[in-house]
Amino acid sequence: MTTTILLGSVVLLLAVHTGGGASSEPGRDAARMLDPAGPVLTLTPPRGQPGDRIRYYATNLSTCGGPWAVEFGDRVLGETRQVGSVADFRAAVPNRGSRGFQVAGLRCLPIPSMVVQTAFEVLPVTPSSEPTITWTLPPPPELPTRTTRPTPTPTTTLTDPDDAEP
């Protein structure tokens, strides 16, 4: 596993060697190969689709003296403040942007050259493998219809005077 951290004008390449390969220093374990004093940014999960929730968690940060800008690719997702040497921020993978690997990081706003970064893999959007449940609602009940009574029309009946009763 390799992580690149840019702090000011210094680039720190951290490598962890696991498995049974040759090492330049026998007996040196992987934990000692990491610089424990350097800042580390972890994104959880390390890959996801647009809209997925992610967590930025940085440790061993130098004192910034102000807020950290939370960056994803060429976007600023917000700001966070550090507590001690730790910063924590929750966001969502932006819906617009390139697929593949994107640089995610924290940048100290008062000292823009102070940056800690890592890579995040943006996966293509795929349909959910879970079945979709669609609820079909019954039609609304019919409202009673208003019946109109025929309007009586005045009629005039003429009677013949011979037909009249006495």
Side-chain angles (χ1 to χ4, degrees):
M1 175 177 86
T2 304
T3 300
T4 304
I5 298 173
L6 176 63
L7 183 58
S9 61
V10 178
V11 175
L12 177 63
L13 181 64
L14 302 175
V16 177
H17 176 75
T18 58
S23 173
S24 61
E25 294 180 342
R28 184 175 180 187
D29 63 0
R32 291 187 189 164
M33 295 173 86
L34 291 174
D35 179 6
V40 176
L41 174 62
T42 305
L43 262 63
T44 307
R47 67 190 55 83
Q49 297 177 356
D52 286 352
R53 302 290 299 163
I54 53 176
R55 178 183 183 202
Y56 286 68
Y57 188 77
T59 58
N60 298 330
L61 293 172
S62 300
T63 303
C64 174
W68 290 83
V70 180
E71 301 175 336
F72 191 93
D74 61 352
R75 291 180 175 73
V76 175
L77 303 180
E79 294 180 358
T80 188
R81 294 205 175 261
Q82 71 185 81
V83 177
S85 64
V86 175
D88 193 4
F89 187 81
R90 295 176 197 277
V93 177
N95 285 327
R96 297 172 305 194
S98 302
R99 304 298 177 253
F101 286 96
Q102 296 291 317
V103 175
L106 299 177
R107 181 178 308 273
C108 177
L109 290 177
I111 310 167
S113 62
M114 195 159 65
V115 177
V116 58
Q117 296 177 322
T118 191
F120 182 87
E121 185 179 9
V122 179
L123 302 173
V125 177
T126 57
S128 174
S129 60
E130 297 180 15
T132 304
I133 297 174
T134 305
W135 297 98
T136 305
L137 297 175
E142 287 190 30
L143 297 173
T145 57
R146 187 172 185 177
T147 57
T148 57
R149 295 183 181 169
T151 308
T153 54
T155 58
T156 307
T157 309
L158 296 174
T159 54
D160 187 4
D162 292 338
D163 292 338
E165 288 184 26

